[in-house]
Structures are given as structure tokens and as C-alpha cells.
């Protein structure tokens, strides 16, 4: 059965930083509806799909009135009549509308619009079939992705208070999602106590992690370890640390700018290597800048079997870059963000490329988010190893974690995915 799209409605809604974003709602002939809201990054890679924003003075140039208008004028007529269940056909059109060469009037509609429309199509297809969105992708998932949860925010999400962007934890000994969150919530609380013991608390960063009142990366890691132990958990056994270095943010042509020093690639990676030896760091995301292939390769070669090197800005959810980077041994796992590539199908191809090259898969939200819970469905439906949506506070984060809990419940209580996949480049 097909279920043709009959209407597309676009509107300006708001994200977790008080910035406008695009929401799209699709309706099909059966009456099925689906909605999607585009998220937004703060530390974006230069190869990401480009958001369309108005520019000018209003709202710092970040309004989306033009994107909303183009969605109704250009995207709506292009999608109406297509089968809402045919995600690939819809996404193919969306990708064309966002290309300079193929878009009508030579004006790309914007990755924010294509992302919102593509997610809306996924949800409308689910409604059309009468199943949850995860079931459109995989009717019988066998595990729930392991949550990776921010405890301290840094980098571009905390006014560059620390160079490193994300200090996260990942439950290791927990076998169910409920146990995982019990462990993480306890660590969030105890880390708060550790910080309170050092002076006034400073609130939270963009993704809900504690604002890092610390002297630098090692101090932040010591705070995490102290919090894990205070929670009665064993670092590296019950709870691992995950870092998103987001090194593109402080990489320059002359090297990496960290705490008043400029380090060459080899020196910087050696410093990270030392941290990986000293602390139980399970995953290390973007240790090198988005153009530093050698830095990523060094990280993969140096950090040993215990640490999985993840590509985010370095890969931008691009299937070709993933295949290339796998061949170059530049990553062990890939971060998947739908809005980096602009469509669900583009991201699904990136997941397939990762699996074809035996790389781990982490499905991730952005630092600017909304109540949209698509990421939980995508992570389960794509069989991701890990899911990352920020901290365990703030509604736009808990919306996704709580959806993951509901999905697990609907599936009868699946176990969590194995911690890290076997990693091709590191087995020797
Ligand atoms: P961003 O941060 O959404 O600001 O890019 C998230 C990440 O880097 O993983
Ligand atoms: Zn990242």
C-alpha cells in the first residue's frame, strides 16, 4: 500500500538555546502525520550540511523565516504526491533541493529544512504503518544502545571554560537501561557535591552538564573520578569516561592551542595518550581537527585497545569519508548526526558504511536541541552501540532519554548493547 503525502506545513519553533529553528509537519492521504524539528550544533564541522539562516541583525542573524518560506514554496510542491513510506525517494528529492546545482532557482533550501522534513517523513511513515518510528527501521532490535552521558560541559558549550568540550561517563557494568541511568544520575549528583565542596556552583552548560569550575582537563577528570568513587562505583569497571575533545575548535595552522600553549600534532596526541593511560577513557571523540588526518591516525595507533577513537567533525556523517577514514585507520567508530548530512537516508548510509568497515556506531543529538525525540528511535532502529544526547538534566535531553526508556519497555526490557565492538584496526 502507498500513502501519498498531501500536505507540508513549516513553522518557526525554538531550540534549547533560545534560537529559532525549523519544524516541518507532513500529512499523508491516510491522515497519518509526522513532525520533525531540526537541531543545531555549536561546534560544527566545515563539511556539514549548511543551515539556512536569515542573516542581518535580528536574533543575531539566526532567524529562519527564509527557510520556513522556502519549505512551503519549494519543498512542499516537490514532496506532495510522493509515498510517505518511501523515505529514500523523499530524501533523494530533499538532497537535490539542498544542492546548488539542482535546486530550483539555484538556491539550496538549507540542511535545517531537509533535516526537519526527513524526520517528519520518518514519523509520518511510522504513523501510516501504525508502528513506532524505530520499528520502521528495524522491527526487532536486539539491544538498547549504551548511553553516553555528559557530566561536565566545556568547550563551545561553556564559553571555552575548558578546551575539551564534553566530559561524559558511560556505564559499563549496568546491563539494563534502568541500571545505567541509576548509576549515571548518582554520578551527576556526586560530581555536583565535589564541585560544591570547591566553591560556589556555576549552573549548567549548554547540554545540561555541570559548568566546569576546574583548572583544566586533568582537574576535570579528577573531579569525575572522585564523583564516580563517591557514588560507590569503580572507575573503569562500573563506569568509564568518554571525552569529546572537539579539537577542531582549538586547532590552528600552527598546531593545537591549549591552555596558553601551542602544541604540534604529535605533541598534542601524546598528551591525550598520556590521559588515556592515566584515566579509564573508553571513547575519545575528535582528538584531532577536522583536517588533521595524521592526528586521527596517531590517536588510533597510540591509544591502545581500551580507547575507541570516534570521528565527529572529522567524518560529518558522510559515508564516503567514513569509508576513506576506515581505510586510513583514522577512526574506530563514527558519530552519526542526521543534520550533518541533512537526511535520514544519508545518515543510514553512513551507518551502513561504518558497519561495512567494522566501525562502532554512536548516534548523537546536537548541543542545540528541542523536544524532538527522533534520535532515540534512530539509535535503536539502526542498532547503534552507543547513544549520546548530552546530560541527564534539561527537558530537551530527558525527552530523549525518557523515550529510550519507553522504547526499552515496549520491547520488553532488552539488555544494553555490548560496550564496544571489536575494532578491526586494533586487534593485532
Ligand atoms: P555540537 O556538539 O552539537 O555543538 O556540534 C556536539 C558534539 O560535538 O558531539
Ligand atoms: Zn563532537
Amino acid at each position: 500500500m502507498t500513502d501519498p503525502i498531501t500536505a507540508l506545513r513549516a513553522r518557526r519553533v525554538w531550540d534549547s538555546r533560545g534560537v529559532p529553528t525549523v519544524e516541518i509537519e507532513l500529512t499523508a492521504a491516510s491522515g497519518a502525520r509526522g513532525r520533525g524539528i531540526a537541531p543545531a550544533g555549536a561546534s560544527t564541522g566545515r563539511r556539514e550540511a549548511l543551515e539556512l539562516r536569515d542573516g542581518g541583525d535580528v536574533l543575531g542573524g539566526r532567524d529562519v523565516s527564509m527557510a520556513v518560506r522556502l519549505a512551503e514554496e519549494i519543498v512542499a510542491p516537490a514532496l506532495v504526491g510522493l509515498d510517505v513510506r518511501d523515505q529514500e525517494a523523499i530524501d533523494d528529492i530533499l538532497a537535490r533541493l539542498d544542492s546548488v546545482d539542482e535546486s530550483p532557482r539555484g538556491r539550496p533550501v538549507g540542511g535545517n529544512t531537509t533535516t526537519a522534513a526527513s524526520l517528519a517523513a520518518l514519523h509520518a511513515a511510522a504513523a501510516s504503518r501504525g508502528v513506532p518510528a524505530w520499528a520502521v527501521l528495524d522491527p526487532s532490535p536486539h539491544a538498547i544502545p549504551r548511553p553516553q552521558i555528559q557530566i561536565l560541559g566545556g568547550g563551545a558549550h561553556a564559553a571555552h571554560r575548558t578546551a575539551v568540550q564534553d566530559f561524559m561517563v558511560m556505564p559499563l557494568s549496568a546491563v539494563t537501561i534502568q541500571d545505567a541511568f541509576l548509576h549515571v544520575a548518582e554520578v551527576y549528583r556526586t560530581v555536583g557535591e565535589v564541585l560544591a565542596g570547591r566553591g560556589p556552583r556555576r549552573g549548567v552548560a549548554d547540554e545540561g552538564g555541570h559548568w566546569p569550575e576546574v583548572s583544566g582537563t586533568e582537574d576535570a577528570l579528577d573531579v569525575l573520578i572522585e564523583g564516580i568513587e563517591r557514588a560507590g562505583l569503580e572507575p573503569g569497571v562500573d563506569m568509564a569516561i568518554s571525552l569529546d575533545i572537539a579539537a577542531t575548535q582549538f586547532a590552528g595552522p600552527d598546531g593545537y592551542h591549549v591552555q596558553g600553549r601551542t602544541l604540534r600534532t604529535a605533541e598534542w596526541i601524546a598528551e591525550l595518550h598520556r590521559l588515556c593511560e592515566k584515566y579509564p577513557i573508553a571513547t575519545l571523540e575528535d582528538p584531532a581537527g577536522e583536517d588533521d588526518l595524521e592526528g586521527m591516525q596517531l590517536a588510533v595507533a597510540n591509544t591502545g585497545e581500551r580507547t575507541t577513537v570516534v570521528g565527529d567533525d572529522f567524518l560529518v556523517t558522510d559515508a564516503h569519508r567514513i569509508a576513506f577514514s576506515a581505510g586510513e585507520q583514522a577512526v574506530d567508530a563514527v558519530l552519526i548526526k542526521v543534520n550533518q548530512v541533512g537526511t535520514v537516508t544519508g545518515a543510514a548510509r553512513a551507518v551502513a558504511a561504518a558497519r561495512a568497515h567494522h566501525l562502532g556506531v554512536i548516534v548523537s543529538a546536537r548541543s542545540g536541541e528541542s523536544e524532538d525525540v527522533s534520535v532515540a528511535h534512530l539509535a535503536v532502529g539502526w542498532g547503534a552501540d552507543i547513544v549520546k544526547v548530552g546530560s541527564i538534566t534539561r527537558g530537551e535531553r530527558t525527552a530523549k532519554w525518557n523515550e529510550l526508556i519507553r522504547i526499552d519497555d515496549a520491547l520488553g526490557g532488552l539488555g544494553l548493547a555490548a560496550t564496544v565492538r571489536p575494532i578491526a584496526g586494533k586487534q593485532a
Side-chain angles (χ1 to χ4, degrees):
M1 187 193 119
T2 61
D3 193 1
I5 295 172
T6 53
L8 177 152
R9 183 88 187 120
R11 52 183 81 94
R12 175 203 291 114
V13 295
W14 299 87
D15 79 10
S16 52
R17 283 190 279 244
V19 173
T21 185
V22 181
E23 172 172 279
I24 288 187
E25 185 163 344
L26 288 176
T27 309
S30 65
R33 278 166 195 265
R35 261 193 339 239
I37 303 179
S43 64
T44 49
R46 72 177 171 84
R47 297 181 186 85
E48 289 192 26
L50 281 180
E51 299 175 325
L52 182 65
R53 299 212 180 253
D54 292 359
D57 295 333
V58 177
L59 295 167
R62 311 207 69 204
D63 200 3
V64 292
S65 65
M66 176 91 78
V68 167
R69 215 183 68 225
L70 292 182
E72 301 230 322
E73 284 177 6
I74 295 179
V75 181
L79 295 192
V80 166
L82 291 184
D83 180 11
V84 77
R85 299 178 177 194
D86 193 346
Q87 183 87 42
E88 278 195 28
I90 292 167
D91 288 346
D92 184 45
I93 299 270
L94 290 170
R96 283 191 211 183
L97 293 178
D98 197 34
S99 80
V100 184
D101 302 334
E102 296 186 58
S103 184
R105 293 191 260 146
R107 179 192 262 175
V109 295
N112 37 358
T113 295
T114 61
T115 298
S118 187
L119 293 173
L122 173 69
H123 292 292
S128 174
R129 292 174 192 271
V131 299
W134 55 262
V136 173
L137 306 168
D138 179 359
S140 49
H142 49 266
I144 295 292
R146 203 163 278 269
Q148 191 175 67
I149 304 189
Q150 189 189 69
I151 303 295
L152 301 172
H157 304 161
H160 298 278
R161 188 69 192 73
T162 57
V164 172
Q165 178 174 288
D166 249 337
F167 296 86
M168 300 170 285
V169 294
M170 189 164 68
L172 296 178
S173 58
V175 293
T176 66
I177 190 86
Q178 286 291 351
D179 285 346
F181 284 116
L182 282 171
H183 287 178
V184 170
E186 196 68 339
V187 170
Y188 189 87
R189 191 178 67 80
T190 52
V191 166
E193 284 176 4
V194 172
L195 290 172
R198 295 162 150 235
R201 302 266 290 270
R202 308 282 185 197
V204 299
D206 279 9
E207 296 187 15
H210 296 290
W211 188 271
E213 216 32 63
V214 293
S215 62
T217 302
E218 268 191 87
D219 193 27
L221 289 166
D222 287 336
V223 166
L224 276 189
I225 295 291
E226 196 181 332
I228 293 169
E229 285 172 345
R230 205 187 265 227
L233 300 168
E234 194 178 335
V237 174
D238 296 309
M239 195 65 90
I241 292 174
S242 287
L243 296 180
D244 183 0
I245 307 296
T248 305
Q249 289 285 310
F250 52 90
D254 53 341
Y256 292 91
H257 303 257
V258 198
Q259 291 180 313
R261 296 174 301 158
T262 300
L263 302 178
R264 283 178 293 125
T265 291
E267 293 169 323
W268 168 239
I269 299 298
E271 178 125 352
L272 290 177
H273 180 205
R274 191 178 59 74
L275 293 179
C276 291
E277 301 266 278
K278 184 168 172 195
Y279 300 94
I281 297 173
T283 68
L284 188 65
E285 184 178 327
D286 281 350
E290 62 190 338
D291 296 310
D292 189 356
L293 174 64
E294 185 205 340
M296 294 296 288
Q297 289 172 317
L298 271 178
V300 168
N302 287 355
T303 49
E305 273 184 42
R306 190 164 73 154
T307 306
T308 295
V309 174
V310 184
D312 172 16
D313 296 348
F314 189 77
L315 299 174
V316 290
T317 314
D318 179 304
H320 296 111
R321 279 191 69 80
I322 290 167
F324 167 80
S325 302
E328 296 287 327
Q329 309 225 339
V331 293
D332 301 312
V334 309
L335 206 77
I336 300 288
K337 293 168 168 169
V338 171
N339 79 327
Q340 279 183 331
V341 61
T343 62
V344 170
T345 300
R349 289 185 184 134
V351 171
R355 291 306 188 202
H357 291 91
H358 310 289
L359 300 173
V361 171
I362 303 178
V363 172
S364 173
R366 301 305 304 244
S367 52
E369 271 290 344
S370 69
E371 69 277 17
D372 186 296
V373 294
S374 307
V375 70
H377 290 266
L378 295 171
V380 173
W382 284 333
D385 304 291
I386 296 173
V387 55
K388 169 187 169 185
V389 311
S391 196
I392 192 171
T393 67
R394 297 182 46 140
E396 79 281 5
R397 311 291 149 187
T398 54
K400 293 155 182 72
W401 294 133
N402 292 342
E403 188 73 358
L404 201 61
I405 289 169
R406 288 181 204 109
I407 295 171
D408 177 60
D409 202 25
L411 285 164
L414 295 179
L416 292 173
T419 40
V420 192
R421 298 242 159 186
I423 288 151
K426 287 200 174 161
Q427 277 166 337

